Amino acid sequence: MERENAWKKYDEAGRVKVFAFNEGYKDFISKCKTERECVKEVIAQVQSFGYEDLDQIVSSGRVLKSGDKVYAANMGKTIALFHIGEVPMEEGMNILGAHIDSPRLDLKQNPLYEDNDLAMLETHYYGGVKKYQWVAHPLALHGVAAKKDGSIVEVSIGEEMSEPVFGVSDLLIHLSGTQLEKKANKVIEGEDLNILIGSIPLDGDDKEPVKAQILQILKEKYGIEEEDFLSAEFEAVPAGRARDYGLDRSMVMGYGQDDRVCAYPSYMAMLQLANTTRTAVCLLVDKEEIGSVGATGMQSKFFENTVAEVMNCTGDYSELKLRRALKNSKMLSSDVSAAFDPNYPSVMEKNNSAFLGRGLTFNKYTGSRGKSGSNDANAEYIADIRRVLDENQVSFQTAELGKVDQGGGGTIAFILANYSMEVIDSGVAVLNMHAPWEITSKVDIYEAYLGYQAFLKYM
């Protein structure tokens, strides 16, 4: 049961819309390379569409009514958008949920050292990465340093052509005989992902002059002392903007598309929602790549607590109604799927693979080892989704994450399913997933946007 290539249904005017939408997407992932940057950008955009800060609504005691739009941010790393519907929230919400964290190299808390006249930064990789992909590659530093006086210093170095970049060095081919005999997961060790950051010694410092020079630059340009690293969150990410990929410009190459390629069409679908019967929600969360743990991960109580606050602001809260609202909700866990790669066909089963250009992808289940750790969506729910997408001419496909026993992975779907709500994974197929530069199809991104709009309005 092969799905048709989605490009075929678009005439020239339609393709213009596809390409135009992706210009906004490329700009988003080029500017937003950390979860903090994503939340900051989303807030700036949604405010211009009439979304208000939930904290201010709560403080003012104002009552929310149908048509009102609010957002709630959690520690600057997670955000939830609510468009209040016509029916009570107790009857359930239509929820789009994606994550905005991505694999990267995090600086350690005490990262800076000098070794043989070179200043280096120690890192700890975040999420599932092939470590050898992160060497000999231009990196940028993004993040924040929280100072003892309560001030926050934001840092982004390496994105502009006028700025320097950084990187992890690799062993030259002439001396790599022993290295090349190692297994791929041992070619580069985690403790060897140290970033070269400088080499000029500071005049008058005889102990660690190169390190001293770097510290002086940090102090002069950013007001950051060495001890400020203790309360900092700096991420090393691939430097540079997202680009058109392919001679026909049909694809996007960029960092962090898992899962910002689903986050962007999700919140953009919310912004285009004129009215809604059920309350519509877009939830963009942190920490999915390391198990959705912590105060900003999906396993925290942030979403549940925020739903309670919103219901209270509508004047219709009780603990029982909150439980009913969560149980009666329907969700698309908007997360990416692995695209079929002609270079590596042996790990995929073609009848149940996602393909670039064939639309929004649905994974009934993810997990591994007999669906372990997955949310296995109900057949009745999938039938409802098929109806809505077909009625709205949205191209979609279904897939598994590779062959049985080949590997696997998980999403936030099972966490929301714990409330007994209907949940299924849906997102965009990605090549090079978790590599520094990932590849997606522009038409898949646009179909995701259309599909998410249809879900919010008609489910």
Side-chain angles (χ1 to χ4, degrees):
M1 187 167 52
E2 189 169 311
R3 311 298 289 190
E4 188 173 54
N5 191 304
W7 285 109
K8 293 181 179 180
K9 72 181 186 182
Y10 288 101
D11 57 15
E12 187 59 34
R15 292 189 180 187
V16 169
K17 292 182 180 179
V18 173
F19 278 75
F21 183 80
N22 277 275
E23 288 305 304
Y25 169 62
K26 288 190 299 179
D27 189 56
F28 175 74
I29 61 171
S30 296
K31 293 191 298 184
C32 305
K33 293 190 175 181
T34 72
E35 57 279 12
R36 287 179 183 267
E37 290 169 345
C38 287
V39 169
K40 187 176 180 180
E41 177 66 16
V42 170
I43 289 175
Q45 290 193 34
V46 302
Q47 283 179 337
S48 66
F49 281 79
Y51 278 81
E52 301 178 79
D53 190 337
L54 180 61
D55 287 340
Q56 295 180 8
I57 301 295
V58 172
S59 297
S60 69
R62 208 179 92 205
V63 176
L64 292 175
K65 61 185 185 303
S66 176
D68 285 341
K69 297 175 285 188
V70 297
Y71 69 87
N74 180 24
M75 301 181 183
K77 300 179 183 179
T78 295
I79 188 168
L81 311 177
F82 291 80
H83 187 142
I84 307 302
E86 298 169 1
V87 301
M89 290 179 66
E90 180 182 357
E91 296 185 24
M93 301 163 282
N94 291 346
I95 305 169
L96 298 172
H99 68 90
I100 48 177
D101 62 314
S102 295
R104 60 188 188 245
L105 303 181
D106 285 343
L107 298 196
K108 292 186 177 183
Q109 283 190 282
N110 186 23
L112 184 60
Y113 70 99
E114 181 174 332
D115 190 343
N116 288 290
D117 298 332
L118 297 177
M120 310 289 289
L121 293 171
E122 292 187 298
T123 71
H124 192 135
Y125 64 90
Y126 174 96
V129 301
K130 292 180 177 179
K131 295 184 286 291
Y132 64 79
Q133 293 180 329
W134 289 78
V135 302
H137 193 93
L139 300 176
L141 283 179
H142 291 242
V144 299
K147 300 177 71 67
K148 289 188 293 184
D149 62 5
S151 61
I152 302 293
V153 180
E154 296 185 5
V155 172
S156 175
I157 313 170
E159 298 296 347
E160 302 298 331
M161 290 301 295
S162 60
E163 296 174 340
V165 294
F166 318 97
V168 179
S169 60
D170 193 13
L171 189 60
L172 65 163
I173 186 65
H174 309 76
L175 300 178
S176 62
T178 300
Q179 182 193 49
L180 293 177
E181 293 175 357
K182 296 180 180 179
K183 291 183 178 181
N185 63 346
K186 295 293 184 182
V187 169
I188 301 294
E189 300 281 1
E191 287 292 350
D192 293 335
L193 292 171
N194 303 311
I195 296 172
L196 176 59
I197 194 172
S199 63
I200 296 178
L202 181 69
D203 290 339
D205 191 302
D206 296 327
K207 187 178 180 182
E208 293 179 306
V210 181
K211 175 183 174 180
Q213 177 82 296
I214 296 300
L215 287 173
Q216 180 169 291
I217 294 171
L218 288 173
K219 185 174 182 179
E220 290 177 352
K221 289 192 173 183
Y222 303 100
I224 295 175
E225 308 275 0
E226 184 172 13
E227 282 210 353
D228 293 329
F229 280 113
L230 298 176
S231 53
E233 295 175 357
F234 289 129
E235 304 174 11
V237 299
R241 292 184 57 83
R243 301 280 299 277
D244 285 343
Y245 195 83
L247 198 59
D248 55 4
R249 298 180 178 271
S250 61
M251 295 166 280
V252 174
M253 180 189 74
Y255 163 70
Q257 297 199 73
D258 178 6
D259 186 35
R260 294 168 194 142
V261 73
C262 296
Y264 182 77
S266 291
Y267 84 82
M268 290 301 291
M270 287 284 289
L271 298 186
Q272 301 307 315
L273 193 62
N275 52 67
T276 178
T277 302
R278 285 157 60 95
T279 293
V281 180
C282 177
L283 181 60
L284 307 178
V285 299
D286 184 25
K287 298 294 190 290
E288 191 274 348
E289 296 294 357
I290 58 171
S292 297
V293 294
T296 56
M298 191 63 246
Q299 296 198 62
S300 76
K301 297 295 184 182
F302 164 70
F303 180 60
E304 182 179 327
N305 293 344
T306 303
V307 173
E309 290 281 10
V310 173
M311 293 182 72
N312 192 55
C313 288
T314 65
D316 194 31
Y317 169 79
S318 74
E319 183 65 16
L320 181 57
K321 288 182 177 181
L322 170 63
R323 298 299 157 198
R324 288 173 177 167
L326 294 167
K327 176 182 180 295
N328 292 331
S329 293
K330 297 178 181 179
M331 181 189 183
L332 296 184
S333 172
S334 308
D335 208 338
V336 298
S337 189
F340 180 83
D341 190 334
N343 284 329
Y344 306 98
S346 64
V347 298
M348 309 293 276
E349 189 263 294
K350 282 191 175 182
N351 287 336
N352 292 283
S353 294
F355 294 85
L356 289 186
R358 297 188 188 177
L360 178 60
T361 300
F362 286 87
N363 290 78
K364 185 179 189 295
Y365 45 80
T366 53
S368 58
R369 302 180 308 281
K371 302 183 182 180
S372 176
S374 75
N375 164 67
D376 199 343
N378 293 314
E380 296 87 346
Y381 183 45
I382 299 173
D384 280 345
I385 292 173
R386 287 175 54 206
R387 172 186 56 80
V388 168
L389 296 184
D390 284 343
E391 288 176 354
N392 289 276
Q393 293 83 51
V394 177
S395 297
F396 71 94
Q397 57 185 320
T398 60
E400 293 184 6
L401 193 59
K403 284 184 176 178
V404 176
D405 287 337
Q406 185 65 47
T411 67
I412 65 172
F414 77 96
I415 303 168
L416 277 299
N418 287 336
Y419 293 111
S420 297
M421 72 172 68
E422 296 277 21
V423 184
I424 189 172
D425 286 302
S426 72
V428 176
V430 178
L431 283 177
N432 302 351
M433 192 189 298
H434 282 215
W437 297 103
E438 299 168 313
I439 310 298
T440 53
S441 167
K442 290 182 178 180
V443 76
D444 292 342
I445 298 169
Y446 191 68
E447 291 297 324
Y449 168 62
L450 297 179
Y452 294 160
Q453 279 185 299
F455 171 81
L456 291 175
K457 190 169 184 179
Y458 297 110
M459 283 298 291

